[in-house]
Amino acid sequence: MSDMCAAKSKADQTCSTSPCAGCKIQRKKCSQNCVLAPYFPQDNPHKFFLVHRVFGNGHVVKLLQDLPAEQRGDAVNSMVYEASQRFQDPVHGCAGVIKYLKNKVSELQSQLASTQRELANLSMQHAKLLSLFNEGSNSHYYHGLLLESEGTHALDDGDPMELWELPLWT
């Protein structure tokens, strides 16, 4: 029975030591403690190829070994993104994307400020119109009709387009 367990554990070792993408590209045998294996599976060699071309295998392995295990996945994702951006834009890489996004943010901030100014202007115009209609008394004259309630004003009526028939200034 111990021979069967030994054979089973040996079979598990050979199954788990199929080369990762990093070892496959480098034509090395992948060991069980390969630092690249969890992040560069053999079914996605393009991912390691990009990182290998931009950063080099030695730098990638050294970086992953120096990091705590819980940060390695994020570091690999970052390296893959940076490498893919470097291939898309060889001159600027990620810096080009950052510059584009900063410009977009400042463009949207200026649009927001413009919209807020326009909204403030419209609010002031609305307040001026209300003060013109509500000037001096609780009663309201609107197209010759007297509105007597305290809680209402001329803008509470049904048709808002009738307001434009009155002159805004006299």
Side-chain angles (χ1 to χ4, degrees):
M1 182 148 185
S2 63
D3 292 335
M4 185 182 272
C5 292
K8 186 175 182 180
S9 67
K10 188 173 184 177
D12 288 343
Q13 275 185 342
T14 58
C15 291
S16 66
T17 59
S18 60
C20 65
C23 294
K24 189 174 185 178
I25 287 176
Q26 298 173 54
R27 294 187 177 120
K28 292 183 357 182
K29 184 176 179 180
C30 193
S31 66
Q32 283 186 339
N33 59 354
C34 177
V35 73
L36 301 173
Y39 310 106
F40 299 104
Q42 76 179 46
D43 61 344
N44 194 358
H46 182 70
K47 183 177 171 182
F48 179 76
F49 179 73
L50 285 172
V51 172
H52 173 68
R53 290 283 307 260
V54 172
F55 297 104
N57 183 53
H59 293 301
V60 173
V61 170
K62 184 178 182 320
L63 177 75
L64 291 177
Q65 287 174 342
D66 291 345
L67 285 174
E70 62 272 1
Q71 293 178 350
R72 290 178 183 171
D74 292 334
V76 167
N77 290 338
S78 178
M79 286 188 288
V80 169
Y81 181 75
E82 289 180 37
S84 66
Q85 289 303 313
R86 181 59 64 182
F87 273 99
Q88 288 179 5
D89 184 0
V91 175
H92 297 107
C94 285
V97 174
I98 292 169
K99 182 179 178 183
Y100 169 78
L101 291 174
K102 280 184 177 182
N103 289 339
K104 192 68 173 171
V105 165
S106 83
E107 176 186 322
L108 291 172
Q109 284 174 336
S110 87
Q111 284 179 2
L112 177 63
S114 172
T115 303
Q116 286 173 336
R117 282 191 304 273
E118 187 177 337
L119 182 61
N121 285 338
L122 289 173
S123 293
M124 284 187 351
Q125 288 177 3
H126 183 260
K128 284 180 183 178
L129 280 173
L130 284 177
S131 69
L132 285 174
F133 286 120
N134 295 330
E135 214 171 65
S137 72
N138 289 338
S139 301
H140 305 291
Y141 288 96
Y142 184 64
H143 278 283
L145 299 173
L146 182 63
L147 301 175
E148 287 288 332
S149 68
E150 290 179 12
T152 63
H153 45 74
L155 294 180
D156 288 340
D157 289 313
D159 188 12
M161 293 310 291
E162 290 180 23
L163 289 175
W164 300 112
E165 296 171 6
L166 295 175
L168 293 178
W169 55 88
T170 56

